[in-house]
Each structure stands twice: as structure tokens, then as C-alpha cells.
Amino acid sequence: MHTPKVLTIGLLLLGISLLGGKLIQGSRGMAIGAVVFLPLWLIGASINMYIGVKRAGYTPAQELPMFLIVFLVPAIPALLTWWTLH
């Protein structure tokens, strides 16, 4: 149940980044918003992995596949948005 919540947060952060970019600079701003989102989400996904290892007791090897899912599900639409609009 934790992973869907984290994915929702990631997708909401992406939406906020894209909307903020669009409001500031239109389509070009959305591309910039997508690029800004990626390092922010990498940090967020890494914190989620750290919590999984330290608090939930998973090993890094067990947590790595979940990290990849949590990071890539929002990152792929961000990259596609950037690719389309830059």
C-alpha cells in the first residue's frame, strides 16, 4: 500500500512541475518543469529507498527494484514531455 502512495506523490509533483512551467513560460516552461522534476524526484525516491532499508528492514538488494519502479513511473512521462516539447 505504501508504493501506490509514493507513486501518487511523484505524479502529483510532476503535475505541479509541469503546470508551474506552463504558467511561467508556456510549452517551453513545461519542458523546463520536466527537467527540474527529475532531480527532485530522484532525491524523493532515494529517501523512500533509504526509509525502506533503515526502518522497514529490507536489504538494499530487496529495495532496489522498488526504487526503480518508484523512480521510473513518474520519470518516464517527464522525459517524454521534455523530449516532445524541447
Side-chain angles (χ1 to χ4, degrees):
M1 190 63 189
H2 176 75
T3 302
K5 290 178 186 177
V6 175
L7 287 173
T8 301
I9 291 168
L11 293 170
L12 287 173
L13 181 60
L14 174 59
I16 291 167
S17 298
L18 295 176
L19 180 61
K22 183 174 177 107
L23 292 174
I24 293 171
Q25 289 187 346
S27 293
R28 179 160 162 63
M30 288 178 69
I32 293 168
V35 171
V36 168
F37 163 79
L38 289 170
L40 293 175
W41 189 237
L42 180 62
I43 292 167
S46 298
I47 290 169
N48 182 60
M49 180 175 171
Y50 175 80
I51 290 170
V53 170
K54 289 297 178 181
R55 290 191 185 166
Y58 295 110
T59 66
Q62 290 172 317
E63 195 66 26
L64 184 61
M66 294 311 298
F67 167 79
L68 292 174
I69 291 169
V70 164
F71 177 71
L72 289 176
V73 167
I76 289 172
L79 288 169
L80 290 173
T81 301
W82 172 80
W83 181 268
T84 304
L85 298 176
H86 85 279

